[in-house]
Amino acid sequence: MHPTETIDRDSLRDDIPEFRPGDTVKVHVRVVEGSRERVQVFQGAVMRRQGGGVQETFTVRKVSFGVGVERTFPVHSPTIAKIEVATLGDVRRAKLYYLRDRHGKAAKIKERRVARGGKAAAEAPVEDVEELDVEDMDVEAVDEVEAVDEVEPAEAEELDEAVEEAANE
């Protein structure tokens, strides 16, 4: 560990959400005009994220009135009020400089449908799932369900017996 990292640790922010190149973010920037301070939102696609620690920066690109505008922000800067991740992008590169040469639909980034840590989300703790009580089920509604053509008669009899046992309990 470098000696300056212990000093820089106090300046690191812990409220930065997880984002990476391709994601669309809303960066709320504090703008000082004279004696007044206001928050301005800069929304665009993250083109790159580089560096580490206090020196870490990210570049956001948006098209404003037909002109491409890029801004580079320090991640841990006090001028950033907050960062919101609007959409997750599905890209294969760490630096998206090719977006500069593209216009319109060609500059569109596909949206990732799976939340970050897809496996972790799929393996959610089982304790959060409610157990169904057989006693609370409406047995008459189960009886009204039409039989499926693909079920063989032997399986249908077993299913009927299981429903009757559940109703008796």
Side-chain angles (χ1 to χ4, degrees), residues 85-147:
V85 179
T87 60
L88 303 176
D90 189 16
V91 294
R92 298 183 188 181
R93 300 182 181 277
K95 308 283 194 272
L96 306 179
Y97 299 134
Y98 66 87
L99 290 177
R100 294 174 179 161
D101 300 328
R102 300 195 181 180
H103 304 283
K105 205 171 187 179
K108 192 173 182 182
I109 298 174
K110 285 190 293 184
E111 185 175 345
R112 186 184 351 215
R113 302 252 177 215
V114 179
R116 288 252 163 71
K119 285 187 177 180
E123 298 171 2
V126 180
E127 60 211 26
D128 294 343
V129 179
E130 288 184 33
E131 287 189 27
L132 292 177
D133 246 355
V134 179
E135 297 171 23
D136 296 339
M137 297 177 79
D138 188 9
V139 178
E140 294 173 323
V142 173
D143 290 336
E144 295 174 15
V145 176
E146 295 179 358

Side-chain angles (χ1 to χ4, degrees), residues 12-18 75-76 80-83:
L12 296 178
R13 295 176 60 160
D14 57 353
D15 61 339
I16 304 297
E18 184 179 323
V75 174
H76 302 286
I80 295 177
K82 69 176 177 177
I83 300 173

Side-chain angles (χ1 to χ4, degrees), residues 63-78:
V63 177
S64 180
F65 298 102
V67 179
V69 180
E70 293 181 14
R71 281 187 72 177
T72 301
F73 300 100
V75 174
H76 302 286
S77 172

Side-chain angles (χ1 to χ4, degrees), residues 25-33 37-43 62 64-65 69 71 73 79-84:
V25 294
K26 293 179 184 177
V27 183
H28 297 256
V29 185
R30 289 188 183 100
V31 179
V32 178
E33 295 172 337
E37 181 180 298
R38 64 183 175 88
V39 175
Q40 183 177 12
V41 180
F42 190 87
Q43 179 174 349
K62 74 173 183 176
S64 180
F65 298 102
V69 180
R71 281 187 72 177
F73 300 100
T79 59
I80 295 177
K82 69 176 177 177
I83 300 173
E84 293 179 46

